[in-house]
Amino acid sequence: MNDWLVYVIGYPGCGKTTAMRKAIGWDDILDQEVENKPFAHTIYPSGLVEIGKAREPYGGTDTLALNVQPAVVKWLAEIDVPVVVGEGDRLANKKFFDSVANKGRHLAIVHIKCSELIARKRAWERGSRFNESWLKGRISKVDSLVEWYEGTDVLHTLDGGANPVHIGNELKSIIEGLNG
């Protein structure tokens, strides 16, 4: 099977959602179709499928129920789409990534790397007010995933301090490279 899951991780405020929106393209964002079964996922005119849906202030997998992981793993094993994308905290864990790989889908984890200070500043500017212990947990979770996959061909790191259009274009190149 040559099917891929491209999953974007990073600290809250690092630009995951912005990069995904830029990578997919504005016209596709406006012309999306959201399916709600077996869980919310978005189908774009290009054929790309995203886990979750656009929503303010937090979209992507953050729109899904907390217990959605088994349904997503099962669905990814059954859906006939070459590349599925996702971003956000909800599914960003080693158990999910291992389950997806064990079901035969290739994995590309894209880490948008920025400093904790930059991520906090961006989150504050967009109006996010995180509980400090929750934020520290998310930062630790991302750091652990990066450490686990560092040095493998699964992990792709993008400079989160770069211009958001540049980050989106880099993510788009990764997605298109896998979509062949």
Side-chain angles (χ1 to χ4, degrees):
M1 178 184 288
N2 289 324
D3 295 340
W4 288 87
L5 170 64
V6 177
Y7 204 93
V8 180
I9 64 170
Y11 296 167
C14 75
K16 298 178 298 291
T17 302
T18 301
M20 186 68 76
R21 299 292 160 248
K22 302 244 183 252
I24 290 169
W26 184 249
D27 290 338
D28 273 0
I29 298 296
L30 294 175
D31 205 19
Q32 65 181 321
E33 177 183 340
V34 176
E35 295 283 334
N36 289 309
K37 299 290 180 188
F39 54 86
H41 59 281
T42 307
I43 303 167
Y44 296 98
S46 65
L48 192 65
V49 176
E50 181 180 8
I51 301 168
K53 60 184 176 183
R55 179 186 79 182
E56 293 297 329
Y58 309 109
T61 64
D62 292 341
T63 64
L64 303 177
L66 291 173
N67 65 349
V68 75
Q69 185 168 312
V72 175
V73 170
K74 181 177 186 287
W75 176 79
L76 283 168
E78 296 170 353
I79 190 170
D80 186 23
V81 175
V83 178
V84 175
V85 298
E87 60 88 5
D89 183 64
R90 180 78 68 235
L91 299 172
N93 62 72
K94 187 160 178 341
K95 180 180 177 186
F96 173 71
F97 295 145
D98 286 349
S99 295
V100 168
N102 289 337
K103 294 282 186 176
R105 191 167 280 268
H106 298 288
L107 181 61
I109 299 172
V110 179
H111 173 220
I112 299 179
K113 180 180 180 178
C114 70
S115 72
E116 182 178 339
L117 182 62
I118 289 172
R120 285 174 178 267
K121 180 179 183 278
R122 288 178 182 164
W124 184 266
E125 288 171 347
R126 74 174 185 215
S128 299
R129 303 297 183 262
F130 301 120
N131 170 289
E132 188 62 28
S133 77
W134 177 88
L135 182 59
K136 284 289 189 186
R138 302 294 68 80
I139 289 169
S140 177
K141 180 180 181 181
V142 169
D143 289 346
S144 293
L145 284 169
V146 169
E147 185 177 314
W148 184 264
Y149 289 102
E150 202 164 37
T152 70
D153 59 354
V154 169
L155 185 67
H156 307 263
T157 301
L158 304 180
D159 177 8
N163 176 299
V165 172
H166 178 73
I167 298 167
N169 286 337
E170 286 186 306
L171 179 57
K172 182 178 183 175
S173 291
I174 292 168
I175 293 167
E176 287 176 347
L178 299 175
N179 206 13

